[in-house]
C-alpha cells in the first residue's frame, strides 16, 4: 500500500485484499475519513474468545494505512459488521476540528 497516494486508495486496496481473504469488505467516505466494513469474519468464533485478535488486526490496519484508526464494532463482540473508522488527517485543523 506504500505506493498508494491517498487514504481512499489505501482503503480501497485494503478492502479488496480483505475481500479476497473472505472478509467481504467494503469501504466508503464517512465524514472526515473513510469507513472500512467487514461483512464476514472467518475467525469470529475464535476472536470471540480471544479479542486480542481484533486488537492486533486494528493495529495492523493502522500500520498499513499509515494513520491512527478506530475500531467501532466487531462481529466477534456481537455486532453485525466489523467497522473501522480511518480519519483523514488532511481534513483536520491543528485543534482536531474539520478544516
Amino acid at each position: 500500500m506504500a505506493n498508494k497516494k491517498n487514504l481512499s486508495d489505501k482503503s480501497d486496496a485494503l478492502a479488496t485484499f480483505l475481500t479476497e481473504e473472505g472478509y467481504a469488505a467494503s469501504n466508503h467516505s464517512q465524514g472526515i475519513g473513510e469507513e472500512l466494513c467487514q461483512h464476514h469474519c472467518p475467525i469470529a468464533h475464535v476472536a470471540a474468545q480471544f479479542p486480542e485478535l481484533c486488537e492486533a488486526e486494528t493495529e495492523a490496519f493502522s500500520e498499513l494505512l499509515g494513520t491512527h484508526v478506530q475500531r467501532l464494532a466487531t462481529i466477534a463482540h456481537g455486532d453485525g459488521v466489523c467497522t473501522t473508522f480511518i480519519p483523514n488527517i488532511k481534513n483536520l485543523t491543528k485543534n482536531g476540528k474539520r478544516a
Side-chain angles (χ1 to χ4, degrees):
M1 272 184 245
N3 63 341
K4 303 294 181 189
K5 294 185 180 184
N6 63 47
L7 181 63
S8 182
D9 288 346
K10 290 178 182 181
S11 181
D12 285 343
L14 181 55
T16 297
F17 170 77
L18 290 169
T19 295
E20 291 169 357
E21 296 297 315
Y23 289 85
S26 64
N27 68 301
H28 60 274
S29 293
Q30 180 68 30
I32 57 170
E34 297 279 320
E35 192 170 76
L36 176 68
C37 297
Q38 296 162 261
H39 303 276
H40 177 72
C41 180
I43 62 164
H45 60 288
V46 177
Q49 293 181 6
F50 299 97
E52 301 88 355
L53 290 172
C54 298
E55 293 166 14
E57 181 182 68
T58 302
E59 289 176 26
F61 290 172
S62 179
E63 207 168 301
L64 285 168
L65 296 167
T67 188
H68 168 77
V69 302
Q70 182 178 10
R71 184 58 61 103
L72 302 176
T74 64
I75 294 170
H77 291 120
D79 299 301
V81 176
C82 293
T83 307
T84 304
F85 181 70
I86 309 159
N88 187 345
I89 57 171
K90 292 180 182 178
N91 290 336
L92 298 176
T93 61
K94 288 181 182 177
N95 65 2
K97 305 277 184 185
R98 279 188 188 194

